[in-house]
Amino acid sequence: MTVDATGVGFPGGAGAFAGLTARHPVARGHLGRPLPAAGPWGHVLRRSAHLLPAVAVVALLAVPSAPAGDGSAGSGSVADAASGLLVLHCLVRVLRDRARPLTRTAALVLGLPVLGVTVAAITAHDPASSLPGVARYLQIFVLVPGALLLLLRDRRDFRLVAGSVVVLALVQGAVGVTQYLTGTGASYMGEEIRAVGTFGPTDVMGMATVVAYGLVICVGFALSPGAEGRGRHVARVRRAVALGCAGLLAVPLALSFSRGAWIATAVAVALQLTLSGPRRAVVVALVAGALGVVLVGGLGIGSQMINERVDSITRVTDAPDQSVTDRYTMWAAATGMWREHPVTGVGLKGFPAHRDSHASLALSAASDTEGAGLGFQRQPLLSPHNMYLLVLSEQGLLGIVALAGSWAALLVRALRRLPGAHRSRTGADCGLAVTGLLVWQLVDFSYADIGGPSTVLTAVMLGLAARWALGPVRRPAKSEAGRA
């Protein structure tokens, strides 16, 4: 096992690569002469080939998916199918290597959600109808994160997968900005200007989630302390590119008009700034503020509607719009379900069946969706749009303690590894990105839940967090302290 400069040990590494080349000598042509080397790009491709299943999951999220027959966003997509192949790929590797794949701590943290999901499925009124929910929960919170934990070998692998998320965010953001400028987005306040990317009006949070992930990753990379030695120039360029990408991604995030994504991003970035040090925090805050003034105040990009959307956050109790009323009503319904079934909840996929008997007359039958290539349709309200209340209502106290306990353990372990990464001045970018992503998701879950094609990216995010938080730790060698 090699030791990463952050103190995180990764199996394989240089020793494994040397053994691989020893077992497989240089390829030779039909005359016995060595074939020409593939060059530096060939080496990079060979070294990163094992990451193709993970990168494919991220890349396929750019493929538009058709909404379900009932008007909802649906959950099956080509990216979901690719995530299944990713899990299968890692399973084959584990069986081939015949080694214990996870530490006891990693198995416990990632396995906690299985407890609540299994019990909720068994105690459901119709266990057969809850099976899709079991598969979805295991996919997002157990299998895909576990597969990425096994797949990522070092911080270069981490940066490559995280970089693929940033590229996806830039693509989706570009599509979203184009939708706003050309009036081809989802309907918002009577105009088809809401940026939704390729996810369509049935998954209005999809592009906002992807763009926010990319922005938080970029901020983490931009705030990392400079490397020493040979990696100093590379680290400086990486920070500059990351800061530029973060500024670009702020535009489509604003045009998504997603209040939950705005709040979660502000909290996550504020924490990243705090953890990176006061001086760097002040500089980045000033740059971000100036950028916001130029984009919204100077160029007038969505300024009026963005201001109205921001003001609506403070008016949720005085003059809430129908979407806020529906959300509060469904929150009350979820709480009522939990009070009747406090330990195990009403069962997986049980919220829609029990919603009407617990909701007040203020709840709409469905929400209206239109634009971005789709005609007018009614989207059913099948969840409370709050992950914590969804789990509490369907899985009870047992489920919420298990699932939230797993997330809390990831966050605590990620925070514990940051000081060592800062001291070694290497790998802190990965730690800051993971911490920001986890905090973003924990805050956003107060306004959203799993559902729709973009949900598989949440599993990728948890996999990155698991790699940073649950990888084996050893004290780094002094000779490695200066590497980027």
Side-chain angles (χ1 to χ4, degrees):
M1 174 183 290
T2 60
V3 182
D4 187 90
T6 64
V8 182
F10 296 94
F17 184 76
L20 180 64
T21 56
R23 291 193 299 269
H24 301 280
V26 177
R28 297 179 180 272
H30 66 283
L31 297 179
R33 298 174 182 173
L35 294 175
W41 285 109
H43 170 68
V44 171
L45 291 176
R46 286 195 301 271
R47 190 196 174 282
S48 306
H50 66 289
L51 298 177
L52 288 178
V55 175
V57 174
V58 178
L60 289 174
L61 279 169
V63 178
S65 57
D70 59 0
S72 64
S75 57
S77 65
V78 289
D80 288 304
S83 72
L85 294 177
L86 168 64
V87 173
L88 181 61
H89 169 71
C90 288
L91 178 61
V92 170
R93 291 187 59 181
V94 168
L95 295 177
R96 183 190 60 190
D97 296 340
R98 297 182 180 180
R100 188 173 70 178
L102 300 175
T103 64
R104 293 180 180 178
T105 301
L108 176 62
V109 172
L110 292 181
L112 270 177
V114 179
L115 175 63
V117 170
T118 303
V119 173
I122 294 174
T123 59
H125 178 70
D126 185 5
S129 64
S130 66
L131 291 180
V134 173
R136 191 62 163 168
Y137 273 90
L138 295 183
Q139 173 202 11
I140 302 303
F141 300 116
V142 181
L143 297 178
V144 174
L148 283 173
L149 172 58
L150 297 173
L151 198 63
L152 303 183
R153 298 182 302 196
D154 52 31
R155 64 183 183 274
R156 285 182 293 182
D157 287 356
F158 181 102
R159 288 168 182 153
L160 195 151
V161 176
S164 68
V165 176
V166 174
V167 172
L168 173 67
L170 290 171
V171 172
Q172 292 286 356
V175 174
V177 172
T178 302
Q179 290 171 334
Y180 173 82
L181 295 176
T182 60
T184 56
S187 179
Y188 177 75
M189 298 182 66
E191 300 182 56
E192 296 185 356
I193 57 171
R194 188 169 189 175
V196 292
T198 63
F199 296 102
T202 58
D203 187 14
V204 293
M205 281 293 296
M207 190 215 71
T209 299
V210 172
V211 168
Y213 280 165
L215 191 151
V216 170
I217 290 172
C218 288
V219 170
F221 286 176
L223 293 176
S224 64
E228 297 177 348
R230 294 175 299 175
R232 181 181 303 175
H233 177 69
V234 175
R236 186 181 296 116
V237 172
R238 185 165 56 233
R239 291 198 303 271
V241 172
L243 187 59
C245 290
L248 291 175
L249 291 173
V251 179
L253 179 62
L255 299 180
S256 69
F257 300 109
S258 173
R259 293 168 292 198
W262 292 347
I263 295 172
T265 303
V267 174
V269 171
L271 178 63
Q272 288 176 309
L273 290 171
T274 303
L275 294 174
S276 67
R279 181 181 301 178
R280 186 175 289 106
V282 171
V283 173
V284 175
L286 290 175
V287 172
L291 181 64
V293 170
V294 171
L295 291 177
V296 178
L299 301 181
I301 298 180
S303 56
Q304 180 179 356
M305 291 186 176
I306 291 175
N307 289 335
E308 292 178 357
R309 195 67 165 169
V310 171
D311 291 341
S312 69
I313 297 175
T314 61
R315 296 198 310 266
V316 293
T317 56
D318 296 333
D321 55 34
Q322 186 59 47
S323 65
V324 174
T325 300
D326 288 341
R327 183 164 300 181
Y328 281 0
T329 303
M330 290 189 293
W331 288 3
T335 304
M337 296 177 200
W338 167 68
R339 288 172 179 164
E340 291 186 2
H341 304 83
V343 179
T344 59
V346 298
L348 285 182
K349 312 293 287 186
F351 180 86
H354 293 79
R355 180 198 63 190
D356 292 341
S357 60
H358 292 83
S360 69
L361 297 178
L363 180 66
S364 301
S367 61
D368 300 337
T369 61
E370 188 178 10
L374 294 178
F376 176 83
Q377 56 183 318
R378 300 279 284 170
Q379 185 174 358
L381 303 175
L382 303 178
S383 71
H385 295 292
N386 181 305
M387 189 65 193
Y388 304 106
L389 291 179
L390 175 64
V391 175
L392 191 65
S393 63
E394 294 188 343
Q395 302 180 37
L397 285 175
L398 183 63
I400 192 64
V401 169
L403 197 58
S406 176
W407 303 335
L410 283 176
L411 180 58
V412 169
R413 290 182 64 88
L415 288 170
R416 288 180 61 183
R417 290 191 171 180
L418 264 180
H422 278 291
R423 285 193 297 268
S424 64
R425 301 181 68 83
T426 53
D429 53 348
C430 302
L432 286 171
V434 161
T435 304
L437 288 172
L438 283 172
V439 170
W440 188 96
Q441 194 62 69
L442 293 178
V443 174
D444 184 71
F445 272 161
S446 299
Y447 307 93
D449 48 48
I450 59 174
S454 60
T455 301
V456 71
L457 196 62
T458 301
V460 174
M461 180 276 296
L462 291 173
L464 293 174
R467 174 66 271 183
W468 171 263
L470 301 175
V473 177
R474 288 176 58 187
R475 188 177 299 276
K478 292 182 179 180
S479 61
E480 294 176 323
R483 296 181 185 177

